[in-house]
Amino acid sequence: MEIFRDCRPVLIAPSSMLLTWEEEFKKWKVDIAFHNISSVEFSGREDVAARKLVKNKRDAKFNRLVKILSWSRGNGVLGVSYQLFEKLTADRTGGNKEDKESEEIRRILLKKPNLIILDEGHTPRNTTSNIFKCLKNVKTDRRVILSGTPFQNNFDELFNTLWLVRPKFADKISSKRNQTRKKKSKTLESGEQSREIWASFTSSIGKNSDVGVAEIRRIIEPFVNVHTGSILQKKLPGLRECVVVLHPTDLQRQLLDEKHAGNICRISRFTKG
């Protein structure tokens, strides 16, 4: 962002993780504004002119507009939760007409970002989900997915996740098929062809064949970076166990003794009954 001053990154993550990202910016004293539009609070890094525009309109929608305008005008990162992004960018065609502010927010979020980062990027893995449909409308080419569990025992969902971050990878699958087989139909879309080939690779996995696994690895290797916990071993000390003995104060010991005596009395009465 120091080199490319016009870069406008958007970070989409679960709302609870946005707070963690915001704290990391503060902890490392990064001189870049982090505008969390999933929070109603201002960070103090908002654009002065944008705040003046809505100084007499204090509600969640106008607070978001201030942060989005501040981000679009200056050097900063915009943070938004998956749920809110879906709400703000959903296609309202045929439904209730949007007000002017909502239309502007939707336009900015879909067209303005230069970089999209999806934390917990396996979240929009279902093509029928609303968040997947909304992310399909984003015009940004540069996309990064961060995920500890990108594969959840479902190869179709893995395909959807990879397609969302890098749609062109599906075209390469289709082109490979056209080199080895004849086209079934000229009207068949490359996406459908890609899914068909992907399914043929994955269907052989687990049936005493490593061909499918090898082929999938070859396809995703150019753009999927896999890191294990071993990269942290040189920097983190590892697990250390400590035993801390806490001696109760006189008042605590008295209360504990009274509680213990009370329990004995209750057990005694129960036994006699």
Side-chain angles (χ1 to χ4, degrees), residues 42 46-58 62 65-66 69-70 73:
F42 285 131
E46 289 78 20
D47 184 77
V48 176
R51 292 195 67 165
K52 287 181 178 179
L53 288 174
V54 295
K55 62 181 180 180
N56 296 323
K57 301 175 181 179
R58 298 286 293 179
F62 287 102
L65 187 58
V66 168
L69 291 176
S70 301
R73 293 178 179 179

Side-chain angles (χ1 to χ4, degrees), residues 67-273:
K67 294 179 182 182
I68 291 174
L69 291 176
S70 301
W71 163 79
S72 65
R73 293 178 179 179
N75 187 25
V77 176
L78 188 70
V80 57
S81 68
Y82 284 103
Q83 184 179 9
L84 183 57
F85 185 86
E86 176 189 325
K87 178 181 177 181
L88 297 177
T89 61
D91 189 357
R92 300 289 191 273
T93 304
N96 296 328
K97 188 176 180 180
E98 292 180 312
D99 55 54
K100 185 177 179 180
E101 290 80 12
S102 297
E103 288 180 0
E104 181 65 9
I105 288 175
R106 183 174 187 272
R107 184 192 67 80
I108 292 175
L109 289 178
L110 293 179
K111 296 183 178 181
K112 188 75 173 182
N114 301 108
L115 172 67
I116 292 284
I117 299 175
L118 304 178
D119 200 354
E120 295 295 323
H122 56 274
T123 302
R125 60 187 179 274
N126 190 329
T127 55
T128 61
S129 66
N130 290 331
I131 183 60
F132 188 94
K133 295 175 182 177
C134 290
L135 288 169
K136 278 180 63 177
N137 294 326
V138 174
K139 306 303 180 184
T140 309
D141 290 329
R142 298 179 182 87
R143 306 178 187 184
V144 177
I145 278 182
L146 306 175
S147 174
T149 53
F151 176 62
Q152 300 184 359
N153 297 327
N154 189 312
F155 283 102
D156 290 337
E157 291 181 351
L158 178 61
F159 179 93
N160 297 337
T161 301
L162 297 176
W163 182 89
L164 192 61
V165 72
R166 193 180 178 91
K168 292 182 179 179
F169 105 98
D171 297 335
K172 293 184 178 180
I173 300 177
S174 298
S175 63
K176 178 176 175 57
R177 178 193 177 172
N178 294 337
Q179 294 172 5
T180 57
R181 303 181 186 179
K182 291 182 179 180
K183 288 185 180 180
K184 275 190 172 182
S185 170
K186 292 182 179 180
T187 59
L188 195 63
E189 295 182 2
S190 62
E192 295 178 35
Q193 292 182 21
S194 304
R195 286 185 181 278
E196 199 174 293
I197 302 167
W198 182 268
S200 68
F201 293 153
T202 57
S203 62
S204 64
I205 296 175
K207 299 179 181 178
N208 299 321
S209 174
D210 294 331
V211 176
V213 173
E215 190 62 27
I216 288 177
R217 282 179 175 170
R218 184 194 66 78
I219 292 170
I220 69 176
E221 185 177 16
F223 61 95
V224 175
N225 298 311
V226 180
H227 297 286
T228 64
S230 60
I231 63 172
L232 301 176
Q233 291 177 356
K234 296 179 180 180
K235 295 183 178 181
L236 297 181
L239 181 64
R240 295 179 178 178
E241 295 184 2
C242 299
V243 177
V244 180
V245 180
L246 301 177
H247 298 284
T249 64
D250 293 339
L251 178 59
Q252 289 173 330
R253 187 180 297 279
Q254 179 184 346
L255 293 173
L256 289 170
D257 290 341
E258 291 177 357
K259 183 178 180 181
H260 180 64
N263 289 335
I264 292 177
C265 291
R266 281 195 291 273
I267 293 172
S268 177
R269 286 196 296 270
F270 178 76
T271 305
K272 289 180 180 178

